[in-house]
Amino acid sequence: MRRQIPLIIVFISGFTMMLDYFFPSLPVVHGTRELFLNWSRVAFSFAMLLGVFTLLLSNLKKIALQQSGWIFNAVLILSFAVTFFFAAQYKMTPSGSTWITIKGTQVGQTGYQIFQTVYTPLSSSIFALVAFFIASAAFRAFRAKNIEAVLLLSAAIVVMLGSIPFGDLLFNAFLSKISSIPFGFSLYNALHLSQIFGEHPVSWLSNQIQQIPMLAAQRAINFGAAIGMVFMSIKILTGIDRSYFGGGES
Amino acid sequence: MFLEHLNVFITMVLSTATLFYFISTSKKGTFPFIRSLPGLAAMDEAIGRATEHGKPVLFLSGLGDVDNIQTLAALSILSRVSEKAAQYDTPLIMPNISSVTMVTAQEVVKESHLRAGRPDTYQPDNIYYVSDEQFAFVAHTNGVMERLRPAANIYMGAFYGESLILAETGHATGAIQIAGTAETSQIPFFVVACDYCLIGEELYAASAYLSKDPKQMASIQGQDALRVLMFAIILIGCIGSTMNFEPITHFMSWFLAG
Amino acid sequence: MIEKLQHFDRRWIFLTLFIVLCLAVIHPFQLPIAVEPFVQKAYNAIEALKPGDQILMAFDYGPSTAPEVHPAALAMLRHALSRGAKVDMFTLWNEGYPYIQDAIDKVCIPMGKKKNVDYVNLGFKWGGQSGAGVIEGMGSNLKAVFPVTDDGTPYDSVPALQGVRNFHDFKLLLSVSAGTPGIDEYVRYANARYQIPIVSVVTRVSAPKEFPYVTGTQIVGLCAGLVGGAEYEELMHHPGAGTAGLFALSVANMAVIAFIIFGNAIYFLGKGTKKP
């Protein structure tokens, strides 16, 4: 029975959502769907509470047992307490209705200041690391070891140059150099390539790479992933795949 | 209203029918052939390597919650990975970005230890919740990689901007890395920085592949069959549109409408 | 020497990139901006708005990606308000909340727009990682999802929301997103079911993932990253943070290309000097 109840819940709720997609004007179906959506919003909100309690318990346990690095756990608890105290200030709405407005996170309040001065720079800094890691990964991994790698490298450089104004600037500067060579002959103009590529040839080429071969590959991957998602969903709805709740074999 | 979505209903019926048809053929004993996926074949090697070095295995189920299908696929893979780790008596560390995923993962790993006959080695503290915030989670996980130096890092699920941070840090610590995601924007980062990478639907096929369960394997066959059918429809549609054959263009417009 | 370069410490790359970026930020130059077709389509979609049209604007990003997408968000908000549209702002990300306020401070108030008349701040609504429940809820009954605005004003007391019930009452959904829940969820749950047109701002790395939707009919215009923001500001003739950051971004791209060339040079030199 312990394994059957979750399967029944999954099937009923999933089937209701599906029915509502096809018959949204049926009051029973639509009403049940709205009920399930409300329950899911409430459940997700309580899931945050679960996370907070779990976090506090595990950190308090490490502090109590004085495990290695327990000072950092204490800093976490203290940060949580201070932020919660300031951010959880609330007020009743002026009309005296039952709605409560959390004012601690509004502009100008201390809770908001903590978010802006502590969390925002920290989050931005961690994400900024991606730029440096991209540079080191590009240095390490983009080697022209074979034909495919050369093609990949060429496309990558064209797309990178096409994404920024420098690409067209450099190419146009290069063209103007060619046109000043002694014979005064510009292959680019002779082949009327300027009429095809326009004033921004590198951007144009970059767009063509992104919108033709890359888009085709993107669609193929999306399509395959979508079919995989459909089958995974059917397996979960029908109880064939139960490993997500430790159910083991079907 | 139902008629407006008739095309979706037909596709849904086709998918379900295909799945159940192949499952019924699998019951007759025909074991379907699935080509080997290098990333999955390397899982055993990765766990074995961690056992030899006496280091833990780090498993991340991505940044999605349990309502994300990629997270469910990752938890299915976790079931197999944790069973193997339990057999080898290798610790499995799993930080989580969501408390609900943490609870689900704890159940999955506990069941795996039971199946492996090692219920005594199950450590619930190894599967824990970190934070709902993306970069707080990433900063913690990077710290875990630097301090504990896991010998194998397995990234399965929905990853976003932090994928390269995780993969590069893992590479710097010398771990063998296996990744799998259906997030197309992050696949290039994993391909570059990890040793093995599952792309797109290979993530969804992975749990079936690892389980060796005939029903699960049959579902992959069903996926491929539906893909071939869709390919045929697209091809007919392309030819019909090119030749401006109206019945086909009308059918395609109707079939592909949202 | 070649062997030393082959075991190059990556921290030199980090230091070089840091120095180069610092110089670019301290001494920026104005660069010519070419507008991409998808950005032009986004501009045209907002240009087609008429006075009184309702649009929804989602600020689904946080501090980490705000430098990339916030400039385009401000430019589009300015454009929409200048067309006389009423903008209802909300977010499914708790981190996105301050950016709604920032947009109000930097765009709505200087333009003299009135709160709850010309623009509405619906605030933050938690819907789990996929946001499916909230988006589906908004599609059928906006009031059920946002019974009060961010400052506690009841839904029925907001002049801008009179007669607005669900997605069918909006001309456009302007999605500024940097992850999940974001543009994919709006395409899946809002556009697929309720056919609301979507204009999107995404990070540059996510843009290729959305191209199939732009060439289809789900997304009518797309701005990608800081460059997209700069291009939109160019179309608006109102330079802002996007234009200001374009030089540093360009320099960073050139630096990465230089590292790739350097890495390949080391690789080929190393191959040439391999001992038998």
Side-chain angles (χ1 to χ4, degrees), chain A residues 178 185-193:
Chain A
I178 287 180
F185 171 75
S186 169
L187 187 63
Y188 189 76
N189 288 330
L191 292 175
H192 300 288
L193 291 174

Side-chain angles (χ1 to χ4, degrees), chain A residues 2-3 15 18-25 43-44 46-56 58-59 61-62 65 67 72 76 115 119 122-138 140-142 152 217-236 238 240-250, chain B residues 1-3 5-6 8-9 12 14-16 18-20 23 65-67 69 72-73 75-77 79-80 99-100 102-105 107-108 110-111 115 125 128-136 138-139 142 161-162 164-166 168-169 171 182 184-185 187 189 192-194 199-201 204 207-208 211 213 215-216 219-220 222-224 226-227 230-231 234 258:
Chain A
R2 187 174 153 261
R3 290 170 195 264
F15 192 67
M18 245 177 5
L19 265 185
D20 182 71
Y21 180 76
F22 295 109
F23 303 102
S25 52
F44 275 115
F46 274 97
M48 285 188 84
L49 277 179
L50 170 69
V52 166
F53 284 133
T54 315
L55 195 66
L56 288 175
S58 66
N59 281 279
K61 188 174 153 187
K62 284 181 187 163
L65 294 173
Q67 287 180 2
F72 299 107
L76 187 146
F115 180 87
Y119 177 74
L122 283 173
S123 181
S124 304
S125 302
I126 301 286
F127 191 56
L129 290 177
V130 176
F132 296 94
F133 284 138
I134 284 176
S136 76
R140 192 183 77 243
F142 284 159
L152 173 70
Q218 196 82 45
R219 282 201 169 115
I221 295 175
N222 283 355
F223 196 72
I227 292 184
M229 210 187 296
V230 164
F231 271 75
M232 186 89 195
S233 306
I234 296 172
K235 282 192 290 181
I236 288 168
T238 52
I240 293 170
D241 188 340
R242 304 175 196 178
S243 48
Y244 61 91
F245 70 92
E249 304 306 322
S250 54
Chain B
M1 195 67 191
F2 171 73
L3 289 176
H5 299 299
L6 185 60
V8 176
F9 181 74
M12 201 180 75
L14 261 175
S15 311
T16 314
T18 315
L19 174 67
F20 282 110
I23 287 177
D65 213 325
V66 279
D67 59 351
I69 205 85
L72 294 174
L75 291 173
S76 296
I77 297 168
S79 175
R80 311 298 163 203
S99 47
V100 180
M102 175 199 74
V103 171
T104 317
E107 277 300 311
V108 167
K110 191 169 151 190
E111 290 282 332
R115 279 200 309 275
D125 287 345
Y128 56 93
Y129 165 74
V130 178
S131 169
D132 273 277
E133 299 304 324
Q134 179 183 17
F135 290 105
V138 168
N142 275 8
E162 74 294 337
L164 192 64
I165 300 177
L166 292 169
E168 276 291 293
T169 307
H171 175 85
T184 46
S185 56
I187 289 169
F189 297 129
V192 157
C194 294
I199 295 171
E201 72 269 27
Y204 302 119
S207 71
S211 70
D213 175 27
K215 279 190 198 167
Q216 301 266 10
S219 74
I220 302 179
Q223 264 177 249
D224 282 352
L226 188 72
R227 198 172 291 125
M230 289 294 163
F231 174 69
I234 289 170

Side-chain angles (χ1 to χ4, degrees), chain A residues 103-159:
Chain A
K103 65 175 187 181
T105 53
Q106 287 183 354
V107 177
Q109 300 295 321
T110 310
Y112 181 80
Q113 292 300 327
I114 292 174
F115 180 87
Q116 287 290 84
T117 53
V118 179
Y119 177 74
T120 297
L122 283 173
S123 181
S124 304
S125 302
I126 301 286
F127 191 56
L129 290 177
V130 176
F132 296 94
F133 284 138
I134 284 176
S136 76
F139 171 80
R140 192 183 77 243
F142 284 159
R143 302 285 162 93
K145 293 177 185 171
N146 48 40
I147 296 288
E148 290 92 353
V150 170
L151 284 172
L152 173 70
L153 204 51
S154 316
I157 289 178
V158 168
V159 170

